[in-house]
């Protein structure tokens, strides 16, 4: 019987970083406070002492500069992992990510891959206000040349990094800040996982709930509550936001005939809008009710706890949306 380890999401990410550093001498981590401080969310705690300052590099407060340095290192055969403190600050490196990292393989006719991994924290629910709390991964999912990952489980937090490092394209990993303290168990021999397919986290036949990242747990809680009402919801964890796994989503919708998309991004121009459109394009005649979306209110994320909770998707919002689509479907 395989041994099982008790761990947290934070510790799972740290274990993934440590394994990558041990397995490949080309791998190094850099970012603000990743070294002596141990990372702003304590993910890299202890790695500087184990691997030294050549491989755990504290950087100046310039996202454009250190993401650019990561791109250059990747072009020259290294396997850099760049940590950006929050997704909001990644906008300071957007030129590097969009105009350089995402385009160089194409513009060089396939001669210059950029095997760069950028990790960043995303999401609200921690009273960090409007400059540290937005969910902008849908913006990056718009950009060809990037792969966008959103690990929502301990297994994915532990296993996605090594697979991402093997990709010739730049990979952005979005870690929801509310997940770092989530505890659970993992097999001691847990290793790399695939990053091409969405996952069915709960089976059901009445409605498809499609989500990712920090809203997966809320969506599963909503599905449990709905079961008490006689509604069996299937929960799809997208896992990879670009490229989207249409097949898993469409297969689910064709069986349940109803869909609710849960997305912590803003509704307008959102990832939820893209998913909704793909369902309509590929499975319109399988739908028995209009698609519902549960998104963040279109405001900067408030600091006050009661306002923040009102602004972002909650279990009750998901349950209410499901009741609407089930009622609309007769």
């Amino acid at each position: 019987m395989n041994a099982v380890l008790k761990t947290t999401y934070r510790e799972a990410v740290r274990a993934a970083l440590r394994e990558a550093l041990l397995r490949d001498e080309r791998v190094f981590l850099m970012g603000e406070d990743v070294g002596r401080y141990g990372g702003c969310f304590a993910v890299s705690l202890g790695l500087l002492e184990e691997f030294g300052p050549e491989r755990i590099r504290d950087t100046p407060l310039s996202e454009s500069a250190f993401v650019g340095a990561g791109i250059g290192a990747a072009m020259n055969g290294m396997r850099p992992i760049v940590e950006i403190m929050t997704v909001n600050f990644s906008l300071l490196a957007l030129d590097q990510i969009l105009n350089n990292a995402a385009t160089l393989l194409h513009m060089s006719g396939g001669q210059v891959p950029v095997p760069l991994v950028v990790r960043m924290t995303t999401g609200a629910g921690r009273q960090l206000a409007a400059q540290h709390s937005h969910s902008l991964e849908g913006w990056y999912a718009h950009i060809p040349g990037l792969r966008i990952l959103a690990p929502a489980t301990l297994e994915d937090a532990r296993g996605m990094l090594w697979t991402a490092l093997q990709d010739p394209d730049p990979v952005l990993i979005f870690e929801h800040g509310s997940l770092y303290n989530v505890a659970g168990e993992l097999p001691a021999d847990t290793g790399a996982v695939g990053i091409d397919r969405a996952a069915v986290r709960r089976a059901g036949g009445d409605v498809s709930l499609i989500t990712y990242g920090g809203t997966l747990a809320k969506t599963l809680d909503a599905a449990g509550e709905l079961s008490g009402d006689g509604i069996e919801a299937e929960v799809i964890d997208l896992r990879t936001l670009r490229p989207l796994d249409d097949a898993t989503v469409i297969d689910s919708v064709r069986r349940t005939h109803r869909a609710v998309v849960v997305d912590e991004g803003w509704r307008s121009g959102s990832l939820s809008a893209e998913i909704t459109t793909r369902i309509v394009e590929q499975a319109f005649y399988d739908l028995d009710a209009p698609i519902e979306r549960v998104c963040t209110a279109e405001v900067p994320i408030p600091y006050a706890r009661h306002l923040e909770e009102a602004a972002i998707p909650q279990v009750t919002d998901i349950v209410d949306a499901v009741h609407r689509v089930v009622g609309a479907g007769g």
Side-chain angles (χ1 to χ4, degrees):
M1 185 175 180
N2 289 338
V4 173
L5 299 176
K6 292 184 177 180
T7 189
T8 65
Y9 187 98
R10 174 185 290 106
E11 291 165 347
V13 177
R14 186 186 302 137
L17 288 167
R18 184 174 182 273
E19 179 193 45
L21 288 158
L22 288 169
R23 290 179 68 174
D24 190 338
E25 63 182 12
R26 298 173 300 170
V27 172
F28 67 96
L29 172 69
M30 68 175 176
E32 297 164 359
D33 293 324
V34 300
R36 284 179 294 175
Y37 189 68
C40 292
F41 299 94
V43 169
S44 55
L45 197 64
L47 296 182
L48 174 64
E49 291 76 11
E50 183 173 0
F51 295 99
E54 290 295 310
R55 302 188 69 195
I56 309 296
R57 292 175 171 261
D58 284 318
T59 65
L61 297 173
S62 176
E63 285 77 7
S64 181
F66 63 74
V67 171
I71 293 169
M75 291 170 63
N76 284 279
M78 300 297 284
R79 292 294 184 270
I81 303 168
V82 174
E83 179 180 306
I84 298 177
M85 191 185 302
T86 77
V87 66
N88 296 71
F89 301 157
S90 74
L91 302 182
L92 296 165
L94 187 56
D95 176 59
Q96 295 283 14
I97 295 170
L98 169 58
N99 283 328
N100 294 322
T103 63
L104 285 168
L105 185 64
H106 170 79
M107 294 179 70
S108 67
Q111 298 178 81
V112 184
V114 185
L116 167 74
V117 172
V118 180
R119 297 175 39 250
M120 64 187 92
T121 302
T122 188
R126 297 164 293 137
Q127 279 193 279
L128 294 178
Q131 292 181 333
H132 297 74
S133 302
H134 292 133
S135 295
L136 305 180
E137 48 272 20
W139 290 13
Y140 289 99
H142 177 66
I143 301 171
L146 301 179
R147 182 184 285 268
I148 310 300
L149 307 182
T153 65
L154 296 180
E155 181 183 20
D156 282 354
R158 176 67 179 83
M160 281 185 164
L161 179 65
W162 183 252
T163 314
L165 284 165
Q166 312 312 304
D167 199 302
D169 289 324
V171 179
L172 275 56
I173 303 178
F174 291 87
E175 301 161 6
H176 199 283
S178 68
L179 296 177
Y180 286 123
N181 290 329
V182 171
E185 295 182 341
L186 277 178
D189 60 353
T190 294
V193 300
I195 56 175
D196 294 321
R197 300 300 300 273
V200 179
R201 301 296 186 190
R202 178 185 175 122
D206 295 324
V207 60
S208 299
L209 304 184
I210 303 149
T211 192
Y212 66 91
T215 48
L216 175 62
K218 293 178 182 179
T219 305
L220 287 168
D221 287 345
E225 186 173 324
L226 289 160
S227 183
D229 297 333
I231 300 171
E232 294 302 327
E234 182 151 286
V235 177
I236 307 295
D237 174 9
L238 292 172
R239 302 177 71 243
T240 298
L241 309 184
R242 184 181 185 98
L244 283 168
D245 175 13
D246 289 10
T248 298
V249 172
I250 299 304
D251 176 69
S252 178
V253 172
R254 283 179 173 155
R255 286 185 285 102
T256 67
H257 307 291
R258 299 171 179 86
V260 174
V261 185
V262 184
D263 176 10
E264 200 175 297
W266 292 302
R267 184 183 182 94
S268 298
S270 63
L271 190 66
S272 70
E274 176 66 25
I275 295 164
T276 298
T277 299
R278 294 192 186 199
I279 293 171
V280 170
E281 288 172 342
Q282 299 176 58
F284 178 77
Y285 292 106
D286 293 287
L287 291 170
D288 286 344
I291 300 167
E292 283 274 349
R293 289 187 283 159
V294 180
C295 300
T296 290
E298 305 221 343
V299 297
I301 297 297
Y303 171 76
R305 182 176 297 279
H306 69 292
L307 293 176
E308 182 181 37
E309 290 178 352
I312 62 179
Q314 302 293 350
V315 172
T316 54
D317 301 318
I318 302 167
V319 169
D320 290 346
V322 170
H323 280 294
R324 287 194 294 272
V325 299
V326 171

